[in-house]
Amino acid sequence: MTTTDLTIVPIETPTLGDRSYVVHDGEVAFVVDPQRDIDRVLTILEEHAVRLTDVFETHIHNDYVTGGLALSQRTGAAYHVNADDEVSFERTAIGDGEIVEVGPRMRVTAISTPGHTFTHLSYALSEASPDDAATGTEASVGVFSGGSLLFGATGRPDLLGEEHADALARHQHASAHRLAELLPGDADVFPTHGFGSFCAATQSEATESTMGQEKESNPVLTQDEETYVQELLAGLGAWPAYYAHMMPTNAEGPSEPDLSTPSTADADELRRRIEAGEWVVDLRNRTAFAAGHAPGTLNFGIDGGFATYLGWLITWGTPVTLLGETPDDIAEAQRELVRIGIDRPAAHATGGPQNWAKGELSTFPTASFADLEQVRHHREVVILDVRRADEYDATRIKGAHNIPIHELPERVAEVPSGEVWVHCASGYRASIAASLIDGSGRTPVAIDDSFENAEKVGLHLIGPDA
């Protein structure tokens, strides 16, 4: 997007629900909250023929590994990190009210906005046009709000521990109001989180916004502090377990990732790795996996929330081997994994399950909610709902058992005996769960359907008061 004479290029990471930003005036550039795979940033800089001078970090991230230090080291750009953050690397310390001149026309002002973390900073951007640069006249462009003010929401306040959640929620309310006071209504808002990220307290469908729009619609700016805090804290659900590793990793100063192809494994090696308790992950879509897969492999399709759910479910440090139909599938999965700090797959293989297994393939059936409604009239089945507890509590099929997907690896033995039909909200998590159940020696039925169809076909849904 182009704002006045400046160009702002969002770098989308939809699988993690985040955005990074490259901002330039045609000659020099700065970057806000870069992801680990910095080659995407370097490509944009080259395409726009601009020189990177500054990298800004809004906070020590909880949901991904930053590329800020590596980008700074590769380009020589100054790396701006809050002076109050305890880190193990050299940085250009910055704090509330400090101004960084990026070239002759871009001015970046740090604004303390605690709430998502205690040391969170937002960065207000203003521009001096070529005619006004000499007089010091400048216009507000917008604010890079990180995990503070999001589109219609705010960053969640509980990632540093529940004991800090109330205090941080109150900080978040005050920070949003501070931004609203400092910035004009037409200033654009450029958040890092909020596009599906579990760092967001709630989700919005918006893809762009201004401060004026947020003042009219964002609960943090329309509600009093007490109402906002109570509703925010009451609505928080579970967050991915791998988040616990992100802040320490980022404070250490992550290196540039190695995205070279890992070693190749044959069927014998894959079997040895499975028997050793390692994870051998089939990246194909859930329909293909159900139709035939190497016994003991797990299905985390590259077509869904691959890194989020793999990082959430795996015991940290367990070796991961990737199985993909093509080298591009392997490369995409590697890129997703380095963003959450799983740096090198143990091995990989391409082709199909006939190349990955010796002997008979494993299969399990798939079905719809309509199929479930029909079969319940003929025989007793176990319905396993693997959605999060908050989803289950809100609306569920009467009689369904709930084991959230992120708890299933440790609780698979608790799945009730009998014919197990497993479902989630859309089918992706159900396939992961089905592969775990299949690996335990049972044959599940994976419901590959949207949960909104359950009531339409006559299944009895109940709510939180049932």
Side-chain angles (χ1 to χ4, degrees):
M1 67 184 70
T2 299
T3 302
T4 60
D5 292 322
L6 304 183
T7 298
I8 301 176
V9 184
I11 302 177
E12 305 276 358
T13 307
T15 50
L16 296 181
D18 292 315
R19 281 181 180 176
S20 305
Y21 299 91
V22 177
V23 186
H24 72 82
D25 64 359
E27 296 183 4
V28 295
F30 68 87
V31 173
V32 181
D33 289 344
Q35 290 265 343
R36 180 82 180 285
D37 47 331
I38 62 172
D39 58 324
R40 293 190 293 169
V41 175
L42 297 172
T43 296
I44 291 171
L45 296 173
E46 183 177 0
E47 289 175 347
H48 290 249
V50 292
R51 176 173 57 89
L52 183 66
T53 61
D54 297 89
V55 178
F56 295 93
E57 210 75 80
T58 59
H59 59 293
I60 305 298
H61 300 280
N62 293 286
D63 66 328
Y64 66 84
V65 178
T66 182
L69 181 61
L71 187 60
S72 170
Q73 292 172 335
R74 174 73 87 92
T75 63
Y79 186 30
H80 302 277
V81 177
N82 195 323
D84 292 332
D85 284 319
E86 297 183 4
V87 297
S88 301
F89 52 86
E90 291 187 7
R91 40 77 191 276
T92 301
I94 192 170
D96 184 46
E98 294 188 38
I99 297 171
V100 178
E101 304 280 356
V102 183
R105 293 166 47 200
M106 295 185 289
R107 173 176 286 196
V108 178
T109 303
I111 303 172
S112 178
T113 47
H116 189 47
T117 67
F118 284 105
T119 55
H120 190 284
L121 293 173
S122 296
Y123 296 100
L125 171 64
S126 57
E127 176 196 11
S129 70
D131 294 335
D132 295 333
T135 65
T137 304
E138 59 185 47
S140 175
V141 175
V143 61
F144 297 90
S145 53
S148 184
L149 186 67
L150 313 182
F151 296 156
T154 51
R156 59 190 301 162
D158 60 328
L159 298 181
L160 302 185
E162 290 185 7
E163 67 274 20
H164 300 301
D166 185 88
L168 283 170
R170 296 180 190 280
H171 282 308
Q172 194 75 292
H173 187 269
S175 293
H177 282 263
R178 185 182 185 202
L179 290 177
E181 291 169 2
L182 290 174
L183 292 154
D186 60 355
D188 289 310
V189 178
F190 302 106
T192 299
H193 304 314
F195 310 96
S197 169
F198 281 91
C199 271
T202 58
Q203 298 296 331
S204 166
E205 297 298 319
T207 58
E208 60 183 35
S209 187
T210 64
M211 189 58 68
Q213 290 171 317
E214 294 306 311
K215 288 179 182 179
E216 294 178 357
S217 61
N218 196 315
V220 74
L221 295 173
T222 60
Q223 295 177 338
D224 63 87
E225 178 182 310
E226 200 61 38
T227 302
Y228 163 77
V229 170
Q230 295 306 318
E231 291 189 2
L232 177 69
L233 297 181
L236 295 173
W239 41 272
Y242 72 84
Y243 277 22
H245 303 280
M246 298 300 95
M247 183 174 283
T249 298
N250 287 326
E252 284 291 318
S255 61
E256 188 171 338
D258 178 2
L259 291 173
S260 62
T261 305
S263 62
T264 302
D266 60 16
D268 288 331
E269 182 179 342
L270 294 175
R271 175 48 45 194
R272 287 195 300 270
R273 291 186 177 278
I274 292 170
E275 291 175 351
E278 299 182 14
W279 276 28
V280 177
V281 175
D282 190 326
L283 302 171
R284 295 176 302 148
N285 68 58
R286 53 188 180 264
T287 303
F289 183 86
H293 53 272
T297 55
L298 302 174
N299 183 219
F300 290 81
I302 198 65
D303 59 338
F306 163 71
T308 294
Y309 287 103
L310 189 149
W312 200 337
L313 272 62
I314 197 169
T315 299
W316 206 248
T318 301
V320 177
T321 295
L322 301 173
L323 308 178
E325 292 179 307
T326 68
D328 286 345
D329 292 337
I330 302 298
E332 183 179 353
Q334 280 186 264
R335 184 174 292 271
E336 293 281 355
L337 290 178
V338 298
R339 292 171 180 159
I340 64 166
I342 299 177
D343 277 10
R344 291 296 294 163
H348 87 288
T350 55
Q354 68 278 2
N355 308 117
W356 307 331
K358 287 189 171 181
E360 192 171 340
L361 300 179
S362 291
T363 65
F364 54 76
T366 60
S368 66
F369 283 109
D371 296 325
L372 174 60
E373 166 59 17
Q374 289 299 314
V375 78
R376 292 183 71 187
H377 295 297
H378 301 289
R379 60 183 184 272
E380 187 172 338
V381 299
V382 174
I383 303 172
L384 179 64
D385 183 339
V386 296
R387 296 175 302 154
R388 298 187 311 274
D390 59 303
E391 296 174 278
Y392 176 82
D393 290 342
T395 313
R396 60 190 181 274
I397 299 172
K398 185 177 181 180
H401 300 267
N402 179 228
I403 302 179
I405 185 65
H406 57 278
E407 298 178 10
L408 190 60
E410 302 300 323
R411 299 179 59 189
V412 69
E414 298 178 28
V415 177
S417 59
E419 183 180 333
V420 181
W421 288 57
V422 58
H423 82 85
C424 60
S426 64
Y428 187 85
R429 288 174 289 178
S431 185
I432 297 172
S435 70
L436 289 163
I437 295 168
D438 177 71
S440 74
R442 299 176 63 181
T443 301
V445 178
I447 297 179
D448 187 7
D449 198 358
S450 172
F451 185 67
E452 65 184 21
N453 291 327
E455 187 170 30
K456 294 177 182 178
V457 299
L459 287 166
H460 184 191
L461 302 189
I462 57 178
D465 298 327

